[in-house]
Amino acid sequence: MNFPTSFPAQHQNIHPGFESEMNPVPIYYDEKYIKSGDLLKDKVAIITGGDSGIGRAVAIAYAYQGADIVIVYYNEKKDAEDTKKLIEATGRKCSIYSGDISDVTFCSSVIENVIKEHGKIDILVNNAAVQYECKDFKQISDSQFDKTMKTNIYGTFYMSREALKHMKSGSCIINTASVTAFAGNEKLIDYSMTKGAIVTLTRSLSTSLAKNKSGIRVNAVAPGPIWTPLIPSSFEKGEIPQFGSNTPMDRAGQPVECAGAYVFLASEAASYITGQTIHINGGEIVNS
């Protein structure tokens, strides 16, 4: 399949953006990447930010592997409903919950509702995040810093803590980190900070759970530039056509190109892998 190597100039004023308004729409499914199987048969997976972008691609891939899906999203109602229809078309169940993951009460309610509906949690994918471009560190406002920290770090922490109260041996947590955690980004300093924290959480929590003989694994995926709603809602219109062109592969990645790593880490094929990060960044060499 040929993937786009550039994008039309565009910008969305509402953050974190809407997939339905992107041009071109991100590629979230391709039969060469996502095939039907039973790697995750009858598993229950919660995916934050599962309405669009990487989260949507992962949700669909999980459904094709036999999992029932719970999508947690912020305010992107159309994207979430569209993803729900795509998942239900595979024959799997899908529930959607709208709210702010920086609110511990909301996170707790999602977990409680999932237990009531499904009786278990097998997979948690902490994927939701926000980012705001700022070219001058001194201009990062307190409100922006607070929003970025609370969504990206608090949300991941709250969802993990609440889910772990119900997870059993064989379950797993997969965190979406970023290439910025390893390479940094001069325009996304606060965002990069949060992704570094997520890598450290992954390493620390995985060690704790392993030493406690819980049988629960924790890993991360660190995407590079991927064409998701965060991009046109975060960057200036003129920056979009060159997005991703600075990678060794000369293009941005598509959400579907990330999905396989999340399937692998959630499956029994990764039973001896914990505390690790898979890099999907178009060939950028980073110190992991």
Side-chain angles (χ1 to χ4, degrees):
M1 184 173 187
N2 294 322
F3 294 111
T5 57
S6 63
F7 307 96
Q10 56 196 282
H11 180 72
Q12 295 185 24
N13 292 321
I14 299 177
H15 197 74
F18 301 95
E19 186 154 317
S20 57
E21 297 180 9
M22 295 174 69
N23 178 29
V25 174
I27 300 170
Y28 54 81
Y29 172 79
D30 182 81
E31 61 183 9
K32 293 180 181 178
Y33 289 82
I34 299 175
K35 298 181 182 297
S36 297
D38 59 2
L39 290 176
L40 307 176
K41 184 173 176 57
D42 297 329
K43 301 285 189 182
V44 175
I46 302 174
I47 304 172
T48 67
D51 57 288
S52 61
I54 294 172
R56 171 184 280 185
V58 173
I60 292 170
Y62 279 5
Y64 272 96
Q65 288 297 329
D68 291 325
I69 310 299
V70 177
I71 288 173
V72 180
Y73 70 102
Y74 183 49
N75 63 357
E76 308 86 348
K77 184 176 181 181
K78 183 180 186 305
D79 286 345
E81 291 179 342
D82 287 348
T83 304
K84 184 175 187 290
K85 291 176 183 177
L86 290 166
I87 290 167
E88 290 177 338
T90 71
R92 304 309 306 186
K93 297 177 182 178
C94 181
S95 303
I96 57 176
Y97 295 95
S98 174
D100 187 349
I101 58 171
S102 69
D103 179 357
V104 66
T105 302
F106 171 68
C107 294
S108 297
S109 69
V110 169
I111 299 301
E112 289 172 4
N113 285 330
V114 172
I115 293 301
K116 288 179 182 177
E117 181 179 1
H118 297 280
K120 64 175 183 173
I121 299 168
D122 299 298
I123 305 162
L124 170 64
V125 177
N126 288 307
N127 173 72
V130 296
Q131 66 179 25
Y132 303 93
E133 182 183 45
C134 187
K135 298 177 181 179
D136 183 353
F137 178 75
K138 299 186 297 297
Q139 298 302 312
I140 297 177
S141 66
D142 290 346
S143 60
Q144 174 185 315
F145 183 74
D146 195 50
K147 176 68 173 177
T148 305
M149 294 294 128
K150 287 191 172 181
T151 301
N152 299 5
I153 299 177
Y154 285 38
T156 297
F157 176 87
Y158 290 150
M159 289 297 296
S160 298
R161 186 185 65 186
E162 298 308 303
L164 279 169
K165 294 175 182 178
H166 303 278
M167 294 178 115
K168 302 183 185 306
S169 180
S171 300
C172 69
I173 296 173
I174 304 171
N175 298 319
T176 299
S178 169
V179 66
T180 65
F182 302 88
N185 188 299
E186 71 276 15
K187 298 178 183 178
L188 299 170
I189 294 175
D190 50 345
Y191 172 82
S192 301
M193 288 173 62
T194 65
K195 293 303 183 174
I198 287 171
V199 170
T200 304
L201 170 65
T202 300
R203 290 172 171 167
S204 301
L205 182 57
S206 65
T207 301
S208 173
L209 291 171
K211 290 189 173 182
N212 289 335
K213 312 297 183 186
S214 71
I216 300 170
R217 298 177 297 106
V218 186
N219 290 291
V221 176
I226 306 295
W227 183 236
T228 73
L230 270 183
I231 305 311
S233 67
S234 299
F235 298 112
E236 296 176 0
K237 185 176 182 179
E239 297 180 62
I240 300 303
Q242 294 79 38
F243 175 68
S245 62
N246 62 338
T247 67
M249 292 183 71
D250 297 323
R251 67 171 177 86
Q254 291 290 327
V256 71
E257 296 180 279
C258 298
Y262 289 84
V263 171
F264 168 66
L265 289 174
S267 73
E268 291 186 6
S271 61
Y272 195 54
I273 300 176
T274 195
Q276 307 304 310
T277 300
I278 295 180
H279 296 269
I280 306 175
N281 59 28
E284 184 169 353
I285 305 300
V286 296
N287 294 320
S288 58

